[in-house]
Amino acid sequence: NLMNSWIYDESKSIVTSPKEEFVLTKKENSFLRLLIVKKRLITYDEIENILWDDNTVMTQNALRLFIKNFRKKLPDNMLKNIQGAGYRLMV
């Protein structure tokens, strides 16, 4: 469980809120699993190295869009940006 009756099903790549179900992309599922397992800040370098494949560069725009879409599938204020460092879950 993420928080307040939000449920994460890693095997199905689904986050379920009290009102709806969100299907996670492969990258979103990997990122959420990483955040939950590590229980700490995930740096921009880690995000690029783990989520972006070797022949793709993680641009600022690509990361911004990814995070924007990812946040829509989580409870409000659950994903915190640490300026200049990375992201962490607030649970």
Side-chain angles (χ1 to χ4, degrees), residues 36-88:
I36 290 170
V37 169
K38 299 284 188 189
K39 293 185 171 80
R40 62 166 172 77
L41 175 106
I42 305 300
T43 66
Y44 294 123
D45 283 345
E46 285 177 289
I47 293 168
E48 183 168 18
N49 293 336
I50 295 167
L51 301 181
W52 265 255
D53 55 44
D54 294 335
N55 49 16
T56 325
V57 175
M58 180 185 81
T59 63
Q60 285 292 92
N61 276 348
L63 178 63
R64 238 182 252 123
L65 186 62
F66 170 73
I67 295 295
K68 180 181 159 213
N69 291 326
F70 183 61
R71 276 198 163 120
K72 293 175 186 172
K73 301 175 182 181
L74 295 176
D76 289 344
N77 303 318
M78 186 172 179
L79 184 66
K80 177 150 174 62
N81 174 241
I82 311 301
Q83 194 66 39
Y87 291 90
R88 67 172 303 160

Side-chain angles (χ1 to χ4, degrees), residues 7-20:
I7 298 161
Y8 170 49
D9 185 334
E10 182 184 333
S11 63
K12 292 181 182 167
S13 297
I14 290 173
V15 171
T16 308
S17 79
K19 294 180 182 162
E20 61 188 308

